[in-house]
Amino acid sequence: QVQLVESGGGLAQAGGSLRLSCVVSGSISRINAVAWYRQAPASQRELVASFTSGGSAYYPDSVKARFTISMDNAKNTIYLQMKSLKPEDTAVYYCNANIRPQYSTFDYTLWGQGTQVTVSS
């Protein structure tokens, strides 16, 4: 079974930093694309970072220059480095990946379980 397992959320002061991790667990052939989303209370889920193989990273203006998406291929781990955190960054953060399982000819999109990030003033 292939699944995404998140960690790294918690409490931070405004101006602080956190790094979220998302491990792609299981036997896979390749990762085609990765992304991070967040959902604040009473708000819709929004994209905060994405990267497609062969392309470039995307960030909305709300997090640009503060958040960085990256991947460690040896560990099959996706990261979201968050700096200069603001109270409005408070949300549940979800990793997302489009993958091809080992021995498969089809691709699948998977979600992590979510991790809470809380930023205080």
Side-chain angles (χ1 to χ4, degrees), residues 17-38:
S17 300
L18 286 173
R19 188 176 74 163
L20 307 182
S21 298
C22 177
V23 177
V24 183
S25 179
S27 298
I28 61 171
S29 178
R30 68 188 187 216
I31 301 173
N32 300 309
V34 297
W36 287 91
Y37 291 77
R38 69 185 181 189

Side-chain angles (χ1 to χ4, degrees), residues 1-5 22-28 75-76 99 110:
Q1 299 297 124
V2 180
Q3 58 183 309
L4 309 184
V5 182
C22 177
V23 177
V24 183
S25 179
S27 298
I28 61 171
K75 298 180 179 179
N76 278 346
I99 62 96
L110 303 174

Side-chain angles (χ1 to χ4, degrees), residues 43-57:
S43 299
Q44 296 182 359
R45 188 170 298 186
E46 64 174 338
L47 177 69
V48 296
S50 67
F51 185 86
T52 301
S53 181
S56 59

Side-chain angles (χ1 to χ4, degrees), residues 59-100:
Y59 308 94
D61 290 341
S62 58
V63 308
K64 192 172 297 182
R66 300 190 299 116
F67 289 12
T68 303
I69 187 171
S70 63
M71 176 180 293
D72 185 333
N73 289 312
K75 298 180 179 179
N76 278 346
T77 301
I78 307 156
Y79 300 99
L80 183 67
Q81 179 68 57
M82 304 184 292
K83 299 180 178 179
S84 301
L85 284 164
K86 304 175 180 180
E88 51 262 45
D89 295 321
T90 296
V92 178
Y93 284 71
Y94 300 89
C95 64
N96 173 272
N98 184 265
I99 62 96
R100 178 166 293 191

Side-chain angles (χ1 to χ4, degrees), residues 93-109:
Y93 284 71
Y94 300 89
C95 64
N96 173 272
N98 184 265
I99 62 96
R100 178 166 293 191
Q102 195 77 41
Y103 313 118
S104 177
T105 58
F106 298 96
D107 300 327
Y108 299 88
T109 298

